[in-house]
């Protein structure tokens, strides 16, 4: 199957059934920062699907990542019977907490990892459907799609931000992304063996790009999404700037020439064309200077050459690091 194919193949039902019966270790990673009022209910809800997961051949493990909470999040989680706990001494950001949790799950022998929010916005009963494409060997990465079953109307700024990042992720991964910022995602063993996200903030875009550039198959599954009643969202006005900067880091790691090389060529080409046009206008007597917009032309050419040089150097480094 083509990497990152969002379509579901239908041809091999007998093989899908046998795949789902194989024993597997499912780790649900729950990052939390000051979620004392909701964490016990989250753990209890996740525990309620243990029998369903067992019926699929899996064993359920709930792993809390305490991202420097200053309240009773840890105490409430332990009281609720969480299976595992990892703590950051200080708050490092959601991306860092997700990375810590996934790496810890991998170290504990996870075959599938589900990232799940600690704010009660997601429904644990969606998890079996979320991991089904992985169990049936139809996908390596599954994102929850919230917009068909959302229980409230998102604020306009959030809706516009989602549309922008969905379009950006679709452009970068060459396939349709209907919800690129969900709080519930599932990662299969193939992707877990290659997993790496460098940034401490927007984990969802980083994981999607990381999976794409590692040749993983991607799909989305409808999930429920409830309004937040406790805690505070990590989304702020800084989000677009930080998110885009971390997306650029991923692109520099995996496809430097595709982005920076093309951008450099375009800038250099535009600067060169402007230079030729303005020189021609000077010789035709239309202008009294050889180059009217010196700063613009020089700036475009320099920006283009620097971007192209960066792309070439980054690509050489990437090629040297390949096995």
């Amino acid at each position: 199957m083509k990497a990152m194919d969002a379509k579901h193949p239908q041809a091999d039902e007998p093989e899908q059934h046998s795949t789902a019966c194989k024993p597997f270790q499912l780790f649900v990673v729950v990052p939390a920062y000051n979620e004392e009022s909701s964490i016990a209910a989250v753990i209890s809800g996740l525990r309620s699907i243990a029998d369903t997961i067992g019926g699929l051949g899996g064993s359920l493990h709930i792993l809390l990542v305490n991202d420097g909470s200053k309240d009773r999040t840890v105490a409430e989680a332990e009281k609720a019977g969480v299976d595992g706990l990892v703590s950051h001494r200080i708050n490092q950001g959601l991306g860092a907490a997700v990375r810590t949790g996934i790496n810890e799950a991998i170290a504990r022998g996870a075959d599938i990892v589900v990232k799940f929010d600690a704010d009660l916005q997601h429904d644990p009963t969606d998890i079996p459907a979320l991991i089904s494409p992985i169990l049936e060997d139809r996908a390596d990465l599954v994102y929850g799609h919230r917009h068909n079953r959302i229980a409230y109307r998102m604020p306009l700024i959030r809706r516009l931000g989602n549309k922008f990042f969905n379009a950006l992720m679709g452009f970068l991964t060459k396939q349709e992304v209907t919800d690129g910022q969900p709080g519930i995602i599932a990662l299969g063993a193939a992707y877990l063996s290659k997993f790496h996200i460098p940034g401490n903030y927007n984990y969802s875009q980083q994981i999607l790009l990381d999976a794409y550039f590692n040749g993983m198959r991607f799909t989305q599954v409808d999930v429920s999404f409830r309004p937040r009643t406790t805690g505070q969202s990590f989304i702020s006005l800084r989000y677009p700037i930080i998110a885009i900067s971390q997306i650029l880091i991923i692109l520099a790691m995996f496809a430097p020439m595709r982005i920076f090389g093309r951008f450099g060529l375009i800038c250099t080409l535009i600067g060169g064309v402007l230079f030729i046009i303005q020189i021609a206008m000077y010789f035709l007597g239309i202008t009294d200077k050889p180059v009217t917009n010196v700063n613009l032309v020089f700036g475009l050419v320099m920006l283009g050459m620097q971007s192209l040089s960066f792309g070439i150097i980054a690509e050489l480094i990437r090629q040297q690091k390949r096995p």
Side-chain angles (χ1 to χ4, degrees), residues 6 14 16 64 72 74 80 87 89 110 125 137 149 161 166 178 194 216 234 236 261 277 279 282 292 294 310:
Q16 289 177 2
L64 176 74
R72 290 180 49 81
V74 171
S87 287
R89 289 183 178 274
T125 61
D137 196 27
R149 289 162 51 188
N166 290 345
T178 53
K194 299 179 179 297
M216 299 291 120
F234 77 98
S236 68
I277 290 174
I279 287 289
Y282 172 74
T292 306
V294 176
F310 173 80

Side-chain angles (χ1 to χ4, degrees), residues 89-152:
R89 289 183 178 274
I90 61 173
N91 180 255
Q92 296 183 22
L94 182 57
V98 171
R99 180 176 58 239
T100 294
I102 293 174
N103 284 331
E104 180 67 19
I106 292 171
R108 296 187 183 209
D111 299 300
I112 301 175
V113 172
V114 168
K115 183 269 171 185
F116 196 87
D117 281 347
D119 55 14
L120 296 174
Q121 287 193 277
H122 291 286
D123 187 344
T125 61
D126 286 328
I127 290 177
L130 191 76
I131 66 175
S132 287
I134 295 173
L135 294 175
E136 296 166 1
D137 196 27
R138 294 188 281 111
D140 307 299
L141 176 67
V142 185
Y143 273 32
H145 176 224
R146 301 167 293 174
H147 303 305
N148 289 336
R149 289 162 51 188
I150 189 168
Y152 72 103

Side-chain angles (χ1 to χ4, degrees), residues 9-78:
Q10 304 291 336
D12 52 352
E13 292 299 327
E15 182 180 348
Q16 289 177 2
H17 177 74
S18 62
T19 302
C21 291
K22 292 181 180 178
F24 63 93
Q25 302 290 320
L26 170 63
F27 278 73
V28 180
V29 172
V30 184
Y33 176 63
N34 293 340
E35 298 284 4
E36 67 178 3
S37 61
S38 62
I39 193 63
V42 169
I43 293 171
S44 176
L46 289 170
R47 189 71 66 202
S48 71
I49 66 168
D51 289 344
T52 304
I53 299 302
L56 297 172
S59 57
L60 175 68
H61 310 271
I62 304 170
L63 178 62
L64 176 74
V65 182
N66 168 42
D67 191 25
S69 296
K70 299 176 182 179
D71 62 1
R72 290 180 49 81
T73 295
V74 171
E76 292 297 324
E78 291 177 336

Side-chain angles (χ1 to χ4, degrees), residues 32 93 164 173 290:
F164 169 76
T173 61

Side-chain angles (χ1 to χ4, degrees), residues 252-256 313-322:
M253 290 172 56
F254 289 103
I313 293 170
E315 180 65 25
L316 289 173
I317 295 173
R318 187 182 75 88
Q319 292 290 341
Q320 288 181 347
K321 290 185 175 181
R322 292 180 65 180

Side-chain angles (χ1 to χ4, degrees), residues 79-304:
K79 183 179 177 181
V82 71
D83 297 313
L85 172 66
V86 183
S87 287
H88 293 163
R89 289 183 178 274
I90 61 173
N91 180 255
Q92 296 183 22
L94 182 57
V98 171
R99 180 176 58 239
T100 294
I102 293 174
N103 284 331
E104 180 67 19
I106 292 171
R108 296 187 183 209
D111 299 300
I112 301 175
V113 172
V114 168
K115 183 269 171 185
F116 196 87
D117 281 347
D119 55 14
L120 296 174
Q121 287 193 277
H122 291 286
D123 187 344
T125 61
D126 286 328
I127 290 177
L130 191 76
I131 66 175
S132 287
I134 295 173
L135 294 175
E136 296 166 1
D137 196 27
R138 294 188 281 111
D140 307 299
L141 176 67
V142 185
Y143 273 32
H145 176 224
R146 301 167 293 174
H147 303 305
N148 289 336
R149 289 162 51 188
I150 189 168
Y152 72 103
R153 185 172 178 79
M154 278 189 181
L156 177 62
I157 189 68
R158 292 285 296 274
R159 297 201 307 272
L160 293 176
N162 283 339
K163 287 182 180 295
F164 169 76
F165 280 106
N166 290 345
L168 178 60
M169 290 298 101
F171 169 74
L172 294 174
T173 61
K174 300 186 180 69
Q175 50 102 61
E176 184 179 2
V177 178
T178 53
D179 190 358
Q181 296 81 231
I184 179 171
I185 63 177
L187 294 69
Y191 175 55
L192 292 175
S193 68
K194 299 179 179 297
F195 164 79
H196 173 68
I197 59 172
N200 290 348
Y201 203 62
N202 58 318
Y203 71 93
S204 57
Q205 292 98 4
Q206 292 187 76
I207 287 176
L208 190 55
L209 285 172
D210 184 41
Y212 169 72
F213 287 120
N214 278 295
M216 299 291 120
R217 298 165 297 170
F218 167 78
T219 193
Q220 297 196 253
V221 170
D222 282 353
V223 297
S224 300
F225 193 59
R226 307 157 177 161
R228 173 188 281 270
T229 58
T230 63
Q232 185 176 359
S233 174
F234 77 98
I235 300 293
S236 68
L237 294 176
R238 297 185 306 145
Y239 180 83
I241 298 172
I242 299 175
I244 290 174
S245 68
Q246 294 186 351
I247 288 170
L248 289 175
I249 292 173
I250 296 288
L251 294 175
M253 290 172 56
F254 289 103
M257 282 302 293
R258 176 182 164 190
I259 304 299
F260 301 100
R262 290 179 183 178
F263 177 74
L265 287 173
I266 290 171
C267 288
T268 303
L269 180 62
I270 292 174
V273 169
L274 284 175
F275 176 77
I276 293 172
I277 290 174
Q278 293 189 7
I279 287 289
M281 291 174 67
Y282 172 74
F283 281 109
L284 292 172
I286 299 175
T287 60
D288 56 356
K289 292 182 180 180
V291 181
T292 306
N293 306 109
V294 176
N295 291 336
L296 175 61
V297 171
F298 181 74
L300 282 170
V301 172
M302 289 301 298
L303 177 62

